[in-house]
Amino acid sequence: MTDVLETVEGKWDLTDLFSAHDDPALAATIEEAMECAVRFEERFRGTINVAGGPSAEHLRDGLQALEALDLLTSRVSAFAHLLYSQDTQSTENQELLSRIERRFTDLANHLLFFDLEWLELEGDVVARLLAQETLA
């Protein structure tokens, strides 16, 4: 595996992430992330701020799902930002970055509830959950 920041002719070698701005794997990863966000919302919305709080296992599952989603989005975002940084004048790079930022704003809207529900939990419920071995 090459170093992502290794330069070739003054440019980063980003092929470990995606081959180009029009790489079908890039579009597929963006769609996969969106589908994961929708599934996450369907599974977890309304299940965190519940009487007595969620089970530690349920909360752990949500956090693990968010972590997996973050890995997908970080890879795409890093690629778009690094590609744009290489050539800020490139229309293709500008459009890619803009498109990804819009899509990930939409994606974030499917996830925001989780933090809000967590913040609405009573302090004693949060303390009990954080003391659980499952969340250690």
Side-chain angles (χ1 to χ4, degrees):
M1 180 182 235
T2 62
D3 183 1
V4 170
L5 297 180
E6 180 180 325
T7 59
V8 178
E9 298 177 20
K11 295 190 177 201
W12 290 306
D13 178 2
L14 302 177
T15 56
D16 281 344
L17 298 171
F18 299 99
S19 63
H21 75 281
D22 58 353
D23 183 346
L26 176 61
T29 302
I30 294 167
E31 287 312 307
E32 178 184 359
M34 287 300 296
E35 291 168 6
C36 287
V38 169
R39 284 193 311 271
F40 178 87
E41 182 178 25
E42 290 169 351
R43 179 174 178 198
F44 292 100
R45 182 180 280 281
T47 67
I48 303 303
N49 184 22
V50 294
S55 70
E57 293 77 12
H58 185 69
L59 184 59
R60 180 204 57 217
D61 291 348
L63 293 171
Q64 288 175 338
L66 284 174
E67 181 181 29
L69 186 54
D70 185 59
L71 289 174
L72 282 176
T73 59
S74 294
R75 186 169 170 245
V76 169
S77 185
F79 177 77
H81 281 92
L82 290 170
L83 197 62
Y84 175 75
S85 294
Q86 283 184 159
D87 184 358
T88 60
Q89 301 304 308
S90 165
T91 303
E92 291 171 339
N93 295 350
Q94 292 170 2
E95 289 173 356
L96 174 65
L97 184 57
S98 178
R99 186 174 80 245
I100 287 171
E101 287 175 344
R102 283 191 312 273
R103 290 291 282 164
F104 286 175
T105 296
D106 292 342
L107 183 145
N109 288 332
H110 290 284
L111 308 177
L112 182 59
F113 76 89
F114 192 85
D115 289 340
L116 296 176
E117 287 190 33
W118 171 255
L119 291 172
E120 290 173 356
L121 286 173
E122 297 293 326
D124 60 326
V125 172
V126 170
R128 179 184 52 78
L129 283 167
L130 293 179
Q132 298 283 325
E133 172 104 9
T134 303
L135 296 171

